[in-house]
């Protein structure tokens, strides 16, 4: 996987390039769709809501088009500073995009969270498309009233019905996106898949396992940071990461009896990282209790979130400088 370099100009003749934000309520399948369109696992996916915490770029090449897909955190009513930063990151992604896809879980339907996002997109006059996802879970007749109720809230240019996990309808969406982005040079090298640096990828893969292997408030009380990354002469890499938890009880659950849980989290994350980085990985996890980490600007910056209380946020073009 290549990552982390600054945008560069690519070939110009006939080429197209633009940003497409994938937005919506938590758990709609945004990261699943971005991974599928980019053709690689870039953004973590779990069955729990609020998995994605910051914007991740997935780069799709299709014909002459480079489509810069922006996976965003789900939009929900924020309580903590972390939540506010997540939601702000999502809206920044939308603001800087040429087109926004409102991705909707067709099974969950037009609930209050989805309706609120649709209404805001309309108010802001964003160029938006409606994408109903998880159509494998609903019967086709239910999709028409859902489309009607959402298109009454915002002037969507187009509507697509897909299954991001199974792939149905995704090709048609990819073709339409390739046509929709504006003429212009490619902003990233054509062999690049993402802007996600490997250190951040490692932290995300550990967090994915925490989301998969712990429950209730534990995953939400946790953040992961890569502290050290050492390339070894034998081609392997040693990664040291810290898992911060908000409360002592969460630390006990995360570690588990005799360290069983944290060992299982580390083993699964190491396996996944070995696959993604295509080399041997030695992963060392250190669990630290730190009350109020979710209100700390430094913890948010570590996962490239802006402090929502400070003014301004970086444009997408400046991502490389902020991480
Ligand atoms: N059945 C079905 N499940 C899907 C589909 N797309 C995604 N999922 C599942 O939905 C869950 C959430 O997927 P994510 O891609 O993490 O959703 P998200 O919108 O990125 O979620 P947040 O980052 O929490 O906002 C996962 O369990 C996915 O496997 C689909 O088309 N069909
Ligand atoms: Mg996500």
């Amino acid at each position: 996987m290549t990552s982390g370099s600054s945008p560069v100009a690519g070939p110009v003749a006939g080429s197209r390039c633009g940003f497409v934000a994938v937005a919506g309520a938590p758990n709609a399948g945004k990261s699943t769709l971005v991974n599928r369109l980019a053709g690689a696992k870039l953004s973590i996916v779990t069955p729990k809501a609020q998995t994605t915490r910051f914007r991740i770029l997935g780069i799709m090449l299709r014909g002459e088009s480079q489509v810069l897909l922006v996976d965003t955190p789900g939009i929900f009513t924020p309580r903590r500073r972390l939540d506010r930063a997540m939601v702000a990151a999502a809206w920044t992604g939308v603001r800087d995009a040429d087109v926004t896809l409102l991705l909707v879980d067709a099974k969950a339907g037009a609930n209050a969270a989805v309706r609120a996002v649709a209404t805001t997109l309309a108010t802001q006059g964003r160029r938006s498309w409606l994408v109903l996802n998880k159509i494998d879970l609903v019967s086709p007749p239910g999709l028409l009233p859902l489309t009607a109720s959402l298109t009454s809230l915002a002037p969507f240019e187009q509507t697509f019905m897909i299954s991001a996990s199974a792939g149905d309808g995704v090709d048609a969406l990819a073709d339409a996106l390739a046509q929709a982005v504006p003429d212009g040079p490619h902003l990233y090298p054509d062999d690049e898949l993402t802007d996600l640096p490997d250190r951040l990828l490692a932290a995300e893969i550990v967090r994915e396992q925490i989301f998969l292997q712990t429950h209730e408030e534990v995953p939400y009380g946790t953040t992961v940071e890569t502290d050290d990354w050492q390339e070894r002469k034998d081609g392997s890499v040693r990664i040291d990461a810290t898992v911060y938890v908000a409360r002592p009880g969460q630390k006990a659950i995360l570690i588990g009896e005799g360290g069983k849980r944290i060992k299982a989290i580390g083993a699964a994350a190491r396996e996944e990282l070995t696959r993604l980085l295509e080399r041997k990985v030695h992963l060392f996890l250190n669990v630290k209790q730190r009350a109020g980490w979710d209100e700390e600007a430094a913890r948010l910056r570590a996962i490239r979130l802006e402090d929502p209380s400070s003014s301004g946020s970086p444009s997408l073009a400046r991502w490389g400088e902020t991480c």
Side-chain angles (χ1 to χ4, degrees), residues 192-218:
E192 207 141 299
L193 292 173
T194 183
D195 69 337
L196 189 67
D198 284 345
R199 289 174 72 110
L200 209 41
L201 171 79
E204 283 291 274
I205 295 298
V206 173
R207 202 166 61 78
E208 180 175 52
Q209 286 305 322
I210 294 170
F211 265 61
L212 291 173
Q213 297 195 36
T214 68
H215 304 289
E216 290 166 19
E217 94 276 23
V218 179

PDB file of all heavy atoms in Angstrom, residues 192-218:
ATOM      1  N   GLU A 192      -1.586   5.223  -6.442  1.00  0.00           N
ATOM      2  CA  GLU A 192      -1.861   5.437  -5.023  1.00  0.00           C
ATOM      3  C   GLU A 192      -3.315   5.062  -4.712  1.00  0.00           C
ATOM      4  O   GLU A 192      -4.217   5.301  -5.513  1.00  0.00           O
ATOM      5  CB  GLU A 192      -1.619   6.904  -4.686  1.00  0.00           C
ATOM      6  CG  GLU A 192      -1.244   7.093  -3.256  1.00  0.00           C
ATOM      7  CD  GLU A 192      -0.170   8.158  -3.083  1.00  0.00           C
ATOM      8  OE1 GLU A 192       0.934   7.972  -3.639  1.00  0.00           O
ATOM      9  OE2 GLU A 192      -0.437   9.148  -2.426  1.00  0.00           O
ATOM     10  N   LEU A 193      -3.525   4.465  -3.531  1.00  0.00           N
ATOM     11  CA  LEU A 193      -4.866   4.013  -3.157  1.00  0.00           C
ATOM     12  C   LEU A 193      -5.512   4.886  -2.104  1.00  0.00           C
ATOM     13  O   LEU A 193      -6.726   4.934  -1.969  1.00  0.00           O
ATOM     14  CB  LEU A 193      -4.798   2.587  -2.591  1.00  0.00           C
ATOM     15  CG  LEU A 193      -4.425   1.476  -3.556  1.00  0.00           C
ATOM     16  CD1 LEU A 193      -4.238   0.172  -2.814  1.00  0.00           C
ATOM     17  CD2 LEU A 193      -5.517   1.346  -4.609  1.00  0.00           C
ATOM     18  N   THR A 194      -4.685   5.555  -1.305  1.00  0.00           N
ATOM     19  CA  THR A 194      -5.219   6.282  -0.160  1.00  0.00           C
ATOM     20  C   THR A 194      -4.236   7.334   0.313  1.00  0.00           C
ATOM     21  O   THR A 194      -3.072   7.336  -0.102  1.00  0.00           O
ATOM     22  CB  THR A 194      -5.513   5.301   1.004  1.00  0.00           C
ATOM     23  OG1 THR A 194      -6.093   6.015   2.094  1.00  0.00           O
ATOM     24  CG2 THR A 194      -4.246   4.609   1.500  1.00  0.00           C
ATOM     25  N   ASP A 195      -4.702   8.211   1.181  1.00  0.00           N
ATOM     26  CA  ASP A 195      -3.798   9.163   1.829  1.00  0.00           C
ATOM     27  C   ASP A 195      -3.489   8.720   3.263  1.00  0.00           C
ATOM     28  O   ASP A 195      -2.925   9.460   4.035  1.00  0.00           O
ATOM     29  CB  ASP A 195      -4.449  10.552   1.874  1.00  0.00           C
ATOM     30  CG  ASP A 195      -5.636  10.585   2.830  1.00  0.00           C
ATOM     31  OD1 ASP A 195      -6.210   9.510   3.102  1.00  0.00           O
ATOM     32  OD2 ASP A 195      -5.997  11.667   3.302  1.00  0.00           O
ATOM     33  N   LEU A 196      -3.930   7.523   3.617  1.00  0.00           N
ATOM     34  CA  LEU A 196      -3.789   7.081   5.008  1.00  0.00           C
ATOM     35  C   LEU A 196      -2.354   6.592   5.266  1.00  0.00           C
ATOM     36  O   LEU A 196      -1.928   5.599   4.673  1.00  0.00           O
ATOM     37  CB  LEU A 196      -4.779   5.933   5.273  1.00  0.00           C
ATOM     38  CG  LEU A 196      -4.923   5.500   6.726  1.00  0.00           C
ATOM     39  CD1 LEU A 196      -5.562   6.591   7.566  1.00  0.00           C
ATOM     40  CD2 LEU A 196      -5.746   4.220   6.822  1.00  0.00           C
ATOM     41  N   PRO A 197      -1.621   7.262   6.156  1.00  0.00           N
ATOM     42  CA  PRO A 197      -0.266   6.794   6.450  1.00  0.00           C
ATOM     43  C   PRO A 197      -0.304   5.438   7.157  1.00  0.00           C
ATOM     44  O   PRO A 197      -1.259   5.139   7.883  1.00  0.00           O
ATOM     45  CB  PRO A 197       0.291   7.858   7.400  1.00  0.00           C
ATOM     46  CG  PRO A 197      -0.667   9.003   7.360  1.00  0.00           C
ATOM     47  CD  PRO A 197      -1.990   8.450   6.949  1.00  0.00           C
ATOM     48  N   ASP A 198       0.722   4.633   6.970  1.00  0.00           N
ATOM     49  CA  ASP A 198       0.736   3.289   7.547  1.00  0.00           C
ATOM     50  C   ASP A 198       0.615   3.294   9.077  1.00  0.00           C
ATOM     51  O   ASP A 198       0.012   2.400   9.666  1.00  0.00           O
ATOM     52  CB  ASP A 198       2.017   2.550   7.123  1.00  0.00           C
ATOM     53  CG  ASP A 198       1.922   2.076   5.669  1.00  0.00           C
ATOM     54  OD1 ASP A 198       0.799   2.058   5.126  1.00  0.00           O
ATOM     55  OD2 ASP A 198       2.968   1.730   5.087  1.00  0.00           O
ATOM     56  N   ARG A 199       1.193   4.301   9.723  1.00  0.00           N
ATOM     57  CA  ARG A 199       1.109   4.356  11.202  1.00  0.00           C
ATOM     58  C   ARG A 199      -0.353   4.497  11.651  1.00  0.00           C
ATOM     59  O   ARG A 199      -0.779   3.902  12.633  1.00  0.00           O
ATOM     60  CB  ARG A 199       1.912   5.535  11.737  1.00  0.00           C
ATOM     61  CG  ARG A 199       3.417   5.367  11.620  1.00  0.00           C
ATOM     62  CD  ARG A 199       4.115   6.645  12.040  1.00  0.00           C
ATOM     63  NE  ARG A 199       4.035   6.852  13.472  1.00  0.00           N
ATOM     64  CZ  ARG A 199       5.066   6.747  14.298  1.00  0.00           C
ATOM     65  NH1 ARG A 199       6.262   6.449  13.846  1.00  0.00           N
ATOM     66  NH2 ARG A 199       4.921   6.949  15.595  1.00  0.00           N
ATOM     67  N   LEU A 200      -1.097   5.300  10.901  1.00  0.00           N
ATOM     68  CA  LEU A 200      -2.507   5.507  11.236  1.00  0.00           C
ATOM     69  C   LEU A 200      -3.323   4.260  10.868  1.00  0.00           C
ATOM     70  O   LEU A 200      -4.251   3.872  11.588  1.00  0.00           O
ATOM     71  CB  LEU A 200      -3.000   6.741  10.470  1.00  0.00           C
ATOM     72  CG  LEU A 200      -4.118   7.588  11.063  1.00  0.00           C
ATOM     73  CD1 LEU A 200      -3.987   7.789  12.552  1.00  0.00           C
ATOM     74  CD2 LEU A 200      -4.165   8.952  10.361  1.00  0.00           C
ATOM     75  N   LEU A 201      -2.951   3.631   9.765  1.00  0.00           N
ATOM     76  CA  LEU A 201      -3.605   2.377   9.381  1.00  0.00           C
ATOM     77  C   LEU A 201      -3.437   1.345  10.502  1.00  0.00           C
ATOM     78  O   LEU A 201      -4.398   0.677  10.893  1.00  0.00           O
ATOM     79  CB  LEU A 201      -3.001   1.837   8.084  1.00  0.00           C
ATOM     80  CG  LEU A 201      -3.469   0.422   7.713  1.00  0.00           C
ATOM     81  CD1 LEU A 201      -4.854   0.446   7.078  1.00  0.00           C
ATOM     82  CD2 LEU A 201      -2.482  -0.282   6.772  1.00  0.00           C
ATOM     83  N   ALA A 202      -2.238   1.246  11.039  1.00  0.00           N
ATOM     84  CA  ALA A 202      -1.975   0.259  12.100  1.00  0.00           C
ATOM     85  C   ALA A 202      -2.874   0.530  13.305  1.00  0.00           C
ATOM     86  O   ALA A 202      -3.497  -0.384  13.859  1.00  0.00           O
ATOM     87  CB  ALA A 202      -0.501   0.299  12.500  1.00  0.00           C
ATOM     88  N   ALA A 203      -2.958   1.803  13.690  1.00  0.00           N
ATOM     89  CA  ALA A 203      -3.811   2.158  14.842  1.00  0.00           C
ATOM     90  C   ALA A 203      -5.272   1.830  14.537  1.00  0.00           C
ATOM     91  O   ALA A 203      -6.003   1.329  15.405  1.00  0.00           O
ATOM     92  CB  ALA A 203      -3.648   3.643  15.157  1.00  0.00           C
ATOM     93  N   GLU A 204      -5.699   2.081  13.316  1.00  0.00           N
ATOM     94  CA  GLU A 204      -7.088   1.799  12.938  1.00  0.00           C
ATOM     95  C   GLU A 204      -7.390   0.301  12.959  1.00  0.00           C
ATOM     96  O   GLU A 204      -8.483  -0.120  13.357  1.00  0.00           O
ATOM     97  CB  GLU A 204      -7.382   2.371  11.539  1.00  0.00           C
ATOM     98  CG  GLU A 204      -7.603   3.879  11.530  1.00  0.00           C
ATOM     99  CD  GLU A 204      -8.890   4.277  12.225  1.00  0.00           C
ATOM    100  OE1 GLU A 204      -9.954   4.273  11.579  1.00  0.00           O
ATOM    101  OE2 GLU A 204      -8.822   4.590  13.438  1.00  0.00           O
ATOM    102  N   ILE A 205      -6.434  -0.493  12.518  1.00  0.00           N
ATOM    103  CA  ILE A 205      -6.672  -1.944  12.492  1.00  0.00           C
ATOM    104  C   ILE A 205      -6.785  -2.490  13.924  1.00  0.00           C
ATOM    105  O   ILE A 205      -7.594  -3.389  14.197  1.00  0.00           O
ATOM    106  CB  ILE A 205      -5.548  -2.654  11.688  1.00  0.00           C
ATOM    107  CG1 ILE A 205      -5.603  -2.215  10.212  1.00  0.00           C
ATOM    108  CG2 ILE A 205      -5.638  -4.171  11.816  1.00  0.00           C
ATOM    109  CD1 ILE A 205      -6.882  -2.563   9.457  1.00  0.00           C
ATOM    110  N   VAL A 206      -6.017  -1.927  14.834  1.00  0.00           N
ATOM    111  CA  VAL A 206      -6.159  -2.330  16.243  1.00  0.00           C
ATOM    112  C   VAL A 206      -7.543  -1.901  16.749  1.00  0.00           C
ATOM    113  O   VAL A 206      -8.260  -2.660  17.404  1.00  0.00           O
ATOM    114  CB  VAL A 206      -5.044  -1.712  17.120  1.00  0.00           C
ATOM    115  CG1 VAL A 206      -5.302  -2.002  18.602  1.00  0.00           C
ATOM    116  CG2 VAL A 206      -3.666  -2.232  16.688  1.00  0.00           C
ATOM    117  N   ARG A 207      -7.934  -0.681  16.401  1.00  0.00           N
ATOM    118  CA  ARG A 207      -9.243  -0.185  16.860  1.00  0.00           C
ATOM    119  C   ARG A 207     -10.376  -1.011  16.259  1.00  0.00           C
ATOM    120  O   ARG A 207     -11.392  -1.265  16.917  1.00  0.00           O
ATOM    121  CB  ARG A 207      -9.398   1.288  16.475  1.00  0.00           C
ATOM    122  CG  ARG A 207     -10.432   2.026  17.327  1.00  0.00           C
ATOM    123  CD  ARG A 207     -10.309   3.513  17.161  1.00  0.00           C
ATOM    124  NE  ARG A 207     -10.538   3.939  15.798  1.00  0.00           N
ATOM    125  CZ  ARG A 207     -11.746   4.055  15.238  1.00  0.00           C
ATOM    126  NH1 ARG A 207     -12.828   3.778  15.924  1.00  0.00           N
ATOM    127  NH2 ARG A 207     -11.877   4.452  13.981  1.00  0.00           N
ATOM    128  N   GLU A 208     -10.197  -1.471  15.046  1.00  0.00           N
ATOM    129  CA  GLU A 208     -11.217  -2.326  14.425  1.00  0.00           C
ATOM    130  C   GLU A 208     -11.426  -3.584  15.269  1.00  0.00           C
ATOM    131  O   GLU A 208     -12.561  -4.007  15.528  1.00  0.00           O
ATOM    132  CB  GLU A 208     -10.790  -2.716  13.011  1.00  0.00           C
ATOM    133  CG  GLU A 208     -11.797  -3.595  12.293  1.00  0.00           C
ATOM    134  CD  GLU A 208     -11.391  -3.867  10.841  1.00  0.00           C
ATOM    135  OE1 GLU A 208     -10.240  -4.307  10.595  1.00  0.00           O
ATOM    136  OE2 GLU A 208     -12.197  -3.631   9.949  1.00  0.00           O
ATOM    137  N   GLN A 209     -10.341  -4.174  15.719  1.00  0.00           N
ATOM    138  CA  GLN A 209     -10.456  -5.385  16.547  1.00  0.00           C
ATOM    139  C   GLN A 209     -11.103  -5.077  17.887  1.00  0.00           C
ATOM    140  O   GLN A 209     -11.860  -5.892  18.421  1.00  0.00           O
ATOM    141  CB  GLN A 209      -9.081  -6.046  16.726  1.00  0.00           C
ATOM    142  CG  GLN A 209      -8.605  -6.757  15.476  1.00  0.00           C
ATOM    143  CD  GLN A 209      -9.617  -7.801  14.963  1.00  0.00           C
ATOM    144  OE1 GLN A 209     -10.264  -8.507  15.742  1.00  0.00           O
ATOM    145  NE2 GLN A 209      -9.763  -7.882  13.656  1.00  0.00           N
ATOM    146  N   ILE A 210     -10.793  -3.889  18.436  1.00  0.00           N
ATOM    147  CA  ILE A 210     -11.440  -3.510  19.704  1.00  0.00           C
ATOM    148  C   ILE A 210     -12.945  -3.382  19.481  1.00  0.00           C
ATOM    149  O   ILE A 210     -13.753  -3.847  20.293  1.00  0.00           O
ATOM    150  CB  ILE A 210     -10.823  -2.203  20.250  1.00  0.00           C
ATOM    151  CG1 ILE A 210      -9.361  -2.432  20.631  1.00  0.00           C
ATOM    152  CG2 ILE A 210     -11.628  -1.682  21.440  1.00  0.00           C
ATOM    153  CD1 ILE A 210      -8.586  -1.171  20.959  1.00  0.00           C
ATOM    154  N   PHE A 211     -13.347  -2.784  18.357  1.00  0.00           N
ATOM    155  CA  PHE A 211     -14.773  -2.662  18.048  1.00  0.00           C
ATOM    156  C   PHE A 211     -15.416  -4.038  17.846  1.00  0.00           C
ATOM    157  O   PHE A 211     -16.575  -4.257  18.175  1.00  0.00           O
ATOM    158  CB  PHE A 211     -14.987  -1.787  16.800  1.00  0.00           C
ATOM    159  CG  PHE A 211     -15.279  -0.338  17.121  1.00  0.00           C
ATOM    160  CD1 PHE A 211     -14.345   0.426  17.805  1.00  0.00           C
ATOM    161  CD2 PHE A 211     -16.480   0.257  16.756  1.00  0.00           C
ATOM    162  CE1 PHE A 211     -14.605   1.764  18.128  1.00  0.00           C
ATOM    163  CE2 PHE A 211     -16.757   1.587  17.070  1.00  0.00           C
ATOM    164  CZ  PHE A 211     -15.815   2.341  17.755  1.00  0.00           C
ATOM    165  N   LEU A 212     -14.652  -4.952  17.277  1.00  0.00           N
ATOM    166  CA  LEU A 212     -15.214  -6.284  17.007  1.00  0.00           C
ATOM    167  C   LEU A 212     -15.243  -7.156  18.266  1.00  0.00           C
ATOM    168  O   LEU A 212     -16.121  -7.986  18.427  1.00  0.00           O
ATOM    169  CB  LEU A 212     -14.406  -6.989  15.914  1.00  0.00           C
ATOM    170  CG  LEU A 212     -14.530  -6.387  14.504  1.00  0.00           C
ATOM    171  CD1 LEU A 212     -13.545  -7.057  13.543  1.00  0.00           C
ATOM    172  CD2 LEU A 212     -15.962  -6.513  13.970  1.00  0.00           C
ATOM    173  N   GLN A 213     -14.270  -6.958  19.144  1.00  0.00           N
ATOM    174  CA  GLN A 213     -14.117  -7.908  20.253  1.00  0.00           C
ATOM    175  C   GLN A 213     -14.584  -7.380  21.615  1.00  0.00           C
ATOM    176  O   GLN A 213     -14.547  -8.111  22.593  1.00  0.00           O
ATOM    177  CB  GLN A 213     -12.655  -8.352  20.365  1.00  0.00           C
ATOM    178  CG  GLN A 213     -12.168  -9.104  19.126  1.00  0.00           C
ATOM    179  CD  GLN A 213     -10.870  -9.840  19.387  1.00  0.00           C
ATOM    180  OE1 GLN A 213     -10.645 -10.359  20.481  1.00  0.00           O
ATOM    181  NE2 GLN A 213     -10.009  -9.915  18.392  1.00  0.00           N
ATOM    182  N   THR A 214     -14.965  -6.101  21.706  1.00  0.00           N
ATOM    183  CA  THR A 214     -15.522  -5.607  22.974  1.00  0.00           C
ATOM    184  C   THR A 214     -16.867  -4.944  22.696  1.00  0.00           C
ATOM    185  O   THR A 214     -17.200  -4.676  21.540  1.00  0.00           O
ATOM    186  CB  THR A 214     -14.577  -4.606  23.679  1.00  0.00           C
ATOM    187  OG1 THR A 214     -14.508  -3.409  22.907  1.00  0.00           O
ATOM    188  CG2 THR A 214     -13.191  -5.177  23.884  1.00  0.00           C
ATOM    189  N   HIS A 215     -17.616  -4.686  23.741  1.00  0.00           N
ATOM    190  CA  HIS A 215     -19.004  -4.261  23.544  1.00  0.00           C
ATOM    191  C   HIS A 215     -19.405  -3.096  24.444  1.00  0.00           C
ATOM    192  O   HIS A 215     -18.630  -2.652  25.265  1.00  0.00           O
ATOM    193  CB  HIS A 215     -19.931  -5.467  23.743  1.00  0.00           C
ATOM    194  CG  HIS A 215     -19.522  -6.585  22.822  1.00  0.00           C
ATOM    195  ND1 HIS A 215     -19.720  -6.534  21.467  1.00  0.00           N
ATOM    196  CD2 HIS A 215     -18.821  -7.721  23.053  1.00  0.00           C
ATOM    197  CE1 HIS A 215     -19.192  -7.608  20.896  1.00  0.00           C
ATOM    198  NE2 HIS A 215     -18.640  -8.347  21.850  1.00  0.00           N
ATOM    199  N   GLU A 216     -20.657  -2.685  24.287  1.00  0.00           N
ATOM    200  CA  GLU A 216     -21.239  -1.576  25.029  1.00  0.00           C
ATOM    201  C   GLU A 216     -20.343  -0.354  24.940  1.00  0.00           C
ATOM    202  O   GLU A 216     -19.971   0.036  23.851  1.00  0.00           O
ATOM    203  CB  GLU A 216     -21.570  -2.002  26.456  1.00  0.00           C
ATOM    204  CG  GLU A 216     -22.748  -2.975  26.402  1.00  0.00           C
ATOM    205  CD  GLU A 216     -22.989  -3.741  27.674  1.00  0.00           C
ATOM    206  OE1 GLU A 216     -22.509  -3.323  28.731  1.00  0.00           O
ATOM    207  OE2 GLU A 216     -23.677  -4.760  27.582  1.00  0.00           O
ATOM    208  N   GLU A 217     -19.969   0.227  26.113  1.00  0.00           N
ATOM    209  CA  GLU A 217     -19.272   1.515  25.980  1.00  0.00           C
ATOM    210  C   GLU A 217     -17.776   1.366  25.738  1.00  0.00           C
ATOM    211  O   GLU A 217     -17.096   2.349  25.418  1.00  0.00           O
ATOM    212  CB  GLU A 217     -19.569   2.414  27.207  1.00  0.00           C
ATOM    213  CG  GLU A 217     -18.560   2.356  28.327  1.00  0.00           C
ATOM    214  CD  GLU A 217     -18.789   1.196  29.287  1.00  0.00           C
ATOM    215  OE1 GLU A 217     -19.435   0.191  28.896  1.00  0.00           O
ATOM    216  OE2 GLU A 217     -18.299   1.262  30.414  1.00  0.00           O
ATOM    217  N   VAL A 218     -17.236   0.140  25.842  1.00  0.00           N
ATOM    218  CA  VAL A 218     -15.773  -0.019  25.768  1.00  0.00           C
ATOM    219  C   VAL A 218     -15.173   0.496  24.443  1.00  0.00           C
ATOM    220  O   VAL A 218     -14.242   1.310  24.461  1.00  0.00           O
ATOM    221  CB  VAL A 218     -15.350  -1.484  26.058  1.00  0.00           C
ATOM    222  CG1 VAL A 218     -13.839  -1.642  25.943  1.00  0.00           C
ATOM    223  CG2 VAL A 218     -15.821  -1.904  27.432  1.00  0.00           C
TER     224      VAL A 218
END
